[in-house]
Amino acid sequence: MTTDALLEPLYRWLRSAARWLLASSTMDGWLDLYERLHMAEGLLLVAMLALGLAIGAALVVACYATELGRQARFLSRRERLSNARLTCGSRLPGTVGMVDAVNAEIDAADAERVGALRAADEFSRGLTALSHDVRTPLTGARGYLQLALGEADPARRDAQLAAADARLAAMSGLLDELFSYARATDPDTPLDLGPVALRPMLEQVLLGHYPEFEKRGWEPSMTCGDVMVDADAEALARIVENLVANALRHGCGPLSVSARAEEAPGGEGGGVAVDFSNPVPDPSAIDADRLFERFYQADASRATAGSGLGLSVAAKLAEAQGMGLSARLDGDVLTITLAMAGGRIPPSPL
């Protein structure tokens, strides 16, 4: 008997057995059990994944809570004047950025505090110097008045009364500057901005100081075309008045005033810049960057008249009108530049 003859009956029997198993309910049970086992494994896997995520989330929350608690304790116990800065004890997402932001706010607050202390100290020193400036003419006026009371010669008495009046006028000028500074720094001070003819206003201020120029033997020069600027007329006149007075008080040569076209402050549209230039006796004693500071005087001995408020008032009034005020030294010539918006040529009269 050949091998094929033996295998053929075996094959037929196995095929019949397989068909019977597939058709029987026992096989269906086995298959159902297999599917249930697979489903149970899937549910178990899902449950394990959910448990792992929950544990991970709990650990992350615990880490964040620990880190935030540590930082909160540090901030609550930190001395305000301390140089200590917040540190990051972990590399959790967002914590480094938050620590950097908190430290930046601490640095900004410290810088603001230091600036306020310096400003207060400067203000205190300025007030002390200003009180000296006020007391000096007041004391002098009282002295001259006492001399005049006991003076029998009418001519000498008149001279002493005139000297007392001059001292009182100087004190009145200092008080006026203080009042002007208070108004210039008051944000509620009303300003009526509108077109202002620049040339007539400059001429009026210079003519008002003609006796002082003549006394010094100076011949001021002015170069300015017919141009309109956007400003408050009264505030602009006060700015020019203070700049001219500063040139007379601290300069040693004729004043030159020249207007030129320039880009407006802020870089928007056309504008005009007015330069006030005259030589000064000691340029090395002048810090051009500090000229507009309150109470600043280049003469440390305060031998010259003035309170150190004139240029500060001018700067504050210029700022309130959107103008720019700057200073520079070219050799022994001090130039203060007032930059304004406008620069329009007025229409010709019909």
Side-chain angles (χ1 to χ4, degrees), residues 43-295:
L43 292 174
L44 181 61
L45 180 60
V46 170
M48 292 179 65
L49 288 175
L51 180 61
L53 290 174
I55 294 174
L59 290 175
V60 170
V61 169
C63 290
Y64 272 109
T66 302
E67 179 65 15
L68 292 177
R70 184 188 66 81
Q71 295 175 1
R73 287 191 299 273
F74 168 81
L75 292 174
S76 64
R77 297 171 182 172
R78 177 182 177 272
E79 296 291 337
R80 292 190 62 187
L81 302 181
S82 170
N83 291 326
R85 292 297 180 266
L86 189 62
T87 58
C88 188
S90 67
R91 308 300 295 181
L92 293 170
T95 56
V96 176
M98 185 190 70
V99 167
D100 291 341
V102 171
N103 285 335
E105 288 298 320
I106 292 175
D107 292 337
D110 286 349
E112 184 177 354
R113 176 178 56 82
V114 171
L117 290 175
R118 288 177 178 172
D121 181 63
E122 177 190 348
F123 183 71
S124 177
R125 286 186 284 107
L127 280 182
T128 301
L130 187 62
S131 66
H132 173 268
D133 292 339
V134 172
R135 189 183 301 112
T136 298
L138 182 59
T139 303
R142 292 179 62 183
Y144 279 113
L145 287 175
Q146 290 175 359
L147 289 175
L149 289 175
E151 181 61 54
D153 184 359
R156 290 175 60 86
R157 184 171 59 248
D158 289 343
Q160 290 163 354
L161 290 175
D165 182 68
R167 300 300 190 277
L168 292 175
M171 186 181 68
S172 177
L174 291 173
L175 296 177
D176 285 343
E177 287 191 10
L178 269 179
F179 178 71
S180 298
Y181 181 80
R183 288 197 61 192
T185 55
D186 184 0
D188 296 328
T189 300
L191 292 175
D192 184 16
L193 299 180
V196 177
L198 183 60
R199 182 184 177 89
M201 190 270 300
L202 292 175
E203 290 176 341
Q204 183 178 1
V205 174
L206 290 174
L207 285 174
H209 288 278
Y210 180 76
E212 298 168 78
F213 285 118
E214 188 178 35
K215 181 180 179 180
R216 288 168 174 77
W218 298 354
E219 184 67 30
S221 63
M222 187 183 77
T223 304
C224 181
D226 294 330
V227 63
M228 305 291 289
V229 295
D230 297 323
D232 178 283
E234 183 179 351
L236 180 58
R238 185 56 190 262
I239 293 172
V240 175
E241 175 76 26
N242 287 9
L243 296 181
V244 173
N246 182 77
L248 282 165
R249 184 176 295 139
H250 302 289
C252 63
L255 173 66
S256 171
V257 180
S258 60
R260 52 188 169 81
E262 189 178 71
E263 188 175 355
E268 298 181 359
V272 61
V274 184
D275 294 327
F276 297 79
S277 304
N278 71 324
V280 291
D282 187 9
S284 63
I286 297 176
D287 186 349
D289 295 330
R290 297 189 58 200
L291 276 180
F292 306 107
E293 291 182 8
R294 179 182 55 200
F295 300 130

